[in-house]
Amino acid sequence: MNRKPFIAANWKMNLNRTEAQTLLRDLSNISVKDSESEIVICVPFPYLLLATEQFQGSQLQTGSQDCSSHAVGAYTGETSAAMIRSCNANYTLLGHSERRRYHGEKATELSAKIREAHAAQLKIIFCVGETLEEREQKLHFNCIHEQIGEVASALQELPIDSFVIAYEPVWAIGTGKTASPETAQEMHAYIRNVLKNSFSMAPQIRIIYGGSCTPENAAALFKQPDIDGALVGGASLNAASFKSIIHSY
Ligand code: PGA
């Protein structure tokens, strides 16, 4: 099955405006043609327009790191999917473990966010992942099964090419501990099987790996048959590192 590689950057809450502009400029100089990957840079909200303007005419796309579960109205501090789309971004991350952990995001809210994003024509990078405790208790497969199952009906409303699943073991995020290529592959294959319960086109759904992906480990991860790319946090804050990850595919 031919799935287009997908590499996304997640800047999280990093970089001031000047640093962001420099990195956006450096990224827009990366030739992604050779890699034939889809590349999405997920920036903090205030930099969405800077990113889309900088990436005009390039193959890089812009994403946000979240969107509101509401369409419009009295929701102080929230940013709607339509606002994000109006800045010409075309992706949003949803369900990142840091949102689940620090903002208590759960299935009902996440399903609403998926529907809002889709209504605003934003594509979705939907994150799942188990904690270290869950893995140690051998609950990691159950955990992932549940995280996918609880939003499957919302995802089923989307065209198959408008969402990507990111497997991000929480114990590997920002810790420098990467899942071994075999451990990651085992879970990606499992996720694809779970997706088969809800999607006849499951073999076409891209599943990307996140969790301390670096230029050093990217190639070995990308060799695995069910790993279709990466969601890169720390290493995406440096243009040379991110470029090297893109070109590892
Ligand atoms: P990391 O972050 O690459 O710094 O581990 C990945 C992510 O959380 O998206």
Side-chain angles (χ1 to χ4, degrees):
M1 180 56 59
N2 232 352
R3 294 179 295 266
K4 189 174 189 177
F6 190 101
I7 319 274
N10 177 10
W11 285 10
K12 308 192 181 186
M13 197 174 71
N14 290 298
L15 308 180
N16 65 29
R17 180 179 163 157
T18 311
E19 292 163 342
Q21 276 173 313
T22 305
L23 182 52
L24 290 170
R25 202 188 45 237
D26 292 348
L27 290 173
S28 66
N29 289 331
I30 296 176
S31 148
V32 293
K33 278 212 178 94
D34 319 339
S35 79
E36 286 174 9
S37 300
E38 192 170 354
I39 316 285
V40 180
I41 312 297
C42 299
V43 300
F45 290 132
Y47 306 149
L48 283 173
L49 263 184
L50 292 178
T52 54
E53 281 166 10
Q54 181 68 54
F55 295 160
Q56 244 176 30
S58 86
Q59 288 189 28
L60 297 172
Q61 303 176 76
T62 304
S64 62
Q65 299 171 13
D66 184 34
C67 73
S68 176
S69 57
H70 303 283
V72 66
Y75 299 101
T76 302
E78 292 280 285
T79 303
S80 73
M83 291 171 185
I84 295 162
R85 185 70 196 104
S86 75
C87 293
N88 294 324
N90 44 7
Y91 269 94
T92 186
L93 285 171
L94 287 180
H96 191 280
S97 64
E98 287 150 18
R99 302 287 319 168
R100 292 177 191 261
R101 179 167 173 206
Y102 302 127
H103 301 271
E105 294 193 356
K106 295 221 161 40
T108 313
E109 186 179 7
L110 288 171
S111 295
K113 288 185 179 204
I114 290 172
R115 294 192 169 101
E116 283 303 321
H118 180 48
Q121 294 175 322
L122 279 181
K123 295 182 180 182
I124 294 163
I125 303 166
F126 189 80
C127 306
V128 297
E130 81 283 2
T131 61
L132 183 58
E133 243 177 22
E134 286 162 334
R135 182 160 280 266
E136 282 174 351
Q137 292 170 13
K138 307 212 182 318
L139 292 173
H140 45 297
F141 292 122
N142 297 17
C143 163
I144 300 301
H145 193 281
E146 193 178 316
Q147 288 178 355
I148 292 176
E150 62 196 14
V151 297
S153 61
L155 288 176
Q156 275 172 329
E157 295 165 23
L158 275 55
I160 211 78
D161 60 353
S162 59
F163 69 94
V164 172
I165 302 290
Y167 169 56
E168 298 209 299
V170 178
W171 46 272
I173 295 178
T175 57
K177 280 187 211 154
T178 323
S180 70
E182 296 72 27
T183 304
Q185 165 57 26
E186 181 187 37
M187 185 57 92
H188 280 232
Y190 177 76
I191 291 172
R192 199 173 301 290
N193 256 325
V194 172
L195 291 170
K196 279 183 191 150
N197 298 333
S198 310
F199 303 92
S200 57
M201 315 263 273
Q204 285 181 32
I205 299 174
R206 288 171 294 180
I207 307 173
I208 62 175
Y209 171 80
S212 300
C213 179
T214 63
E216 288 71 41
N217 59 32
L221 288 161
F222 296 163
K223 273 202 197 102
Q224 303 299 316
D226 287 292
I227 299 184
D228 304 314
L231 176 55
V232 187
S236 74
L237 296 172
N238 176 291
S241 297
F242 191 62
K243 177 177 172 180
S244 159
I245 292 173
I246 292 172
H247 289 140
S248 300
Y249 211 101

